[in-house]
């Protein structure tokens, strides 16, 4: 059952915020296929099953907060400690933002399409996992890796429930990358922080989210999903982005970036 939370300025004119626990209450049964998902509770139960059963992720205790509009999302970010100007910018550019054990969603911008809706939930809940692994803090884990991991998880969840055909997501990502200005693709140093990521979201000539998920796909293929979990867990005790990258993946970030950019056709020699 939904739990109604605070957030409505006037109950008669503005919808209240709705908070759904993750994992959902026991009454919500996980589905095996997209066709059986018709409520947010079932969607979240399905994601929870995949996270723990298929991926072996440690359980997380979180909630998804469906806010009525962009203004409510902005207000929640300010209440969480973000500067008002930055909160406004983030709320304008993003439909959902994960905090420690909370996913804030602008319900006006949340798609009614179940694949897109589930993808948003899975992406943001993967961010909640990152917070838990890192001891409840964002820390200095690199934003491109945070975002690429979250989107890789979202796309793989959709593949597992039959919402995306095998290989289709990767073909789409490669097409999006090819259509962008690969010559101007940002370096990893330009995608390190959340503020840098929000700033890049305003660009239309480049596709940092696509770039990030393809980079993470390369890490998963080379080192396995468990290495990504290890990377984020290292930040619970050690704020050392360069060192933690080497510890988790056995290669320097510079070496990884050099090979990955060449494989994806990014940089000065690209069109």
């Amino acid at each position: 059952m939904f739990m109604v939370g605070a957030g409505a300025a006037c109950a008669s004119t503005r919808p209240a915020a709705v908070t759904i626990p993750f994992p959902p209450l026991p009454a919500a049964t996980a589905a095996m296929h997209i066709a059986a998902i018709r409520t947010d509770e079932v969607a979240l139960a399905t994601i929870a099953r995949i996270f723990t059963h298929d991926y072996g992720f440690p359980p997380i205790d979180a909630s998804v907060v469906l806010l009525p509009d962009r203004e409510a999302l902005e207000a929640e970010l300010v209440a969480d400690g973000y500067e008002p100007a930055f909160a406004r910018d983030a709320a304008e550019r993003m439909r959902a933002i994960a905090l420690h054990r909370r996913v804030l969603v602008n319900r006006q911008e949340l798609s009614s399409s179940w694949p897109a809706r589930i993808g948003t939930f899975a992406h943001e809940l993967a961010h909640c996992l990152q917070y838990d692994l890192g001891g409840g803090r964002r820390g200095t884990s690199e934003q491109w890796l945070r975002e690429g991991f979250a989107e890789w998880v979202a796309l793989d969840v959709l593949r597992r429930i039959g919402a995306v055909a095998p290989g289709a997501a990767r073909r789409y990502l490669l097409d999006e990358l090819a259509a962008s200005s690969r010559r101007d693709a940002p370096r990893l140093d330009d995608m390190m922080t959340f503020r840098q990521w929000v700033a890049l979201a305003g660009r239309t000539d480049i596709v940092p989210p696509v770039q990030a998920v393809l980079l993470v796909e390369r890490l998963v293929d080379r080192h396995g999903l468990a290495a990504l979990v290890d990377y984020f867990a290292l930040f619970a005790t050690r704020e050392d982005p360069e060192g933690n990258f080497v510890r988790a993946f056995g290669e320097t970030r510079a070496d990884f970036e050099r090979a990955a950019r060449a494989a994806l056709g990014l940089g000065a020699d690209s069109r």
Side-chain angles (χ1 to χ4, degrees):
M1 179 180 292
F2 289 148
M3 296 185 296
V4 178
C10 176
S12 62
T13 60
R14 191 182 190 199
V18 174
T19 299
I20 311 172
F22 179 85
L25 299 177
T29 303
M32 302 303 294
H33 192 272
I34 184 68
I37 299 176
R38 289 295 177 267
T39 69
D40 288 335
E41 297 102 323
V42 172
L44 294 175
T46 302
I47 294 168
R49 177 186 59 79
I50 292 172
F51 274 22
T52 56
H53 179 270
D54 295 11
Y55 298 150
F57 292 162
I60 58 175
D61 181 14
S63 59
V64 174
V65 184
L66 301 176
L67 298 160
D69 49 34
R70 178 176 54 79
E71 290 76 14
L73 176 56
E74 178 185 336
E76 287 287 338
L77 292 174
V78 171
D80 201 68
Y82 287 96
E83 298 172 359
F86 180 75
R88 185 179 309 110
D89 194 28
E92 286 177 351
R93 298 185 183 191
M94 299 181 180
R95 73 171 64 89
I97 296 175
L99 306 173
H100 182 221
R101 297 187 174 176
R102 278 193 305 153
V103 174
L104 306 179
V105 182
N106 176 352
R107 198 183 331 180
Q108 284 186 341
E109 298 295 328
L110 183 61
S111 176
S112 60
S113 159
W114 280 111
R117 198 175 184 96
I118 294 164
T120 295
F121 290 155
H123 179 111
E124 300 302 335
L125 287 163
H127 283 316
C128 286
L129 172 68
Q130 292 163 359
Y131 273 105
D132 263 18
L133 291 170
R137 299 172 294 109
R138 175 179 293 276
T140 54
S141 58
E142 301 182 28
Q143 192 66 23
W144 69 269
L145 225 164
R146 296 175 68 87
E147 294 294 340
F149 172 84
E151 190 61 13
W152 184 93
V153 166
L155 292 172
D156 194 64
V157 164
L158 293 174
R159 178 187 64 81
R160 287 173 184 269
I161 60 174
V164 174
R170 189 170 197 276
R171 289 192 296 271
Y172 171 80
L173 292 169
L174 291 173
D175 287 347
E176 287 290 295
L177 187 67
S180 71
S181 178
R182 288 180 292 166
R183 179 187 300 273
D184 300 318
R187 310 285 307 193
L188 297 188
D189 283 344
D190 301 321
M191 301 187 289
M192 293 281 286
T193 70
F194 183 51
R195 290 178 183 273
Q196 287 177 313
W197 192 261
V198 171
L200 288 172
R203 296 274 298 274
T204 58
D205 58 322
I206 56 174
V207 285
V210 169
Q211 188 177 336
V213 72
L214 288 170
L215 292 172
V216 165
E217 178 189 63
R218 183 178 178 89
L219 287 172
V220 173
D221 288 345
R222 289 168 62 86
H223 305 292
L225 186 58
L228 274 293
V229 174
D230 290 343
Y231 169 81
F232 294 111
L234 285 167
F235 287 88
T237 56
R238 186 188 299 266
E239 293 289 354
D240 180 9
E242 291 275 2
N244 288 347
F245 192 97
V246 174
R247 291 181 186 90
F249 306 118
E251 59 181 321
T252 67
R253 186 163 63 87
D255 286 344
F256 168 76
E257 180 173 23
R258 188 178 305 110
R261 287 180 73 87
L264 295 174
L266 306 178
D269 295 330
S270 303
R271 74 173 185 85

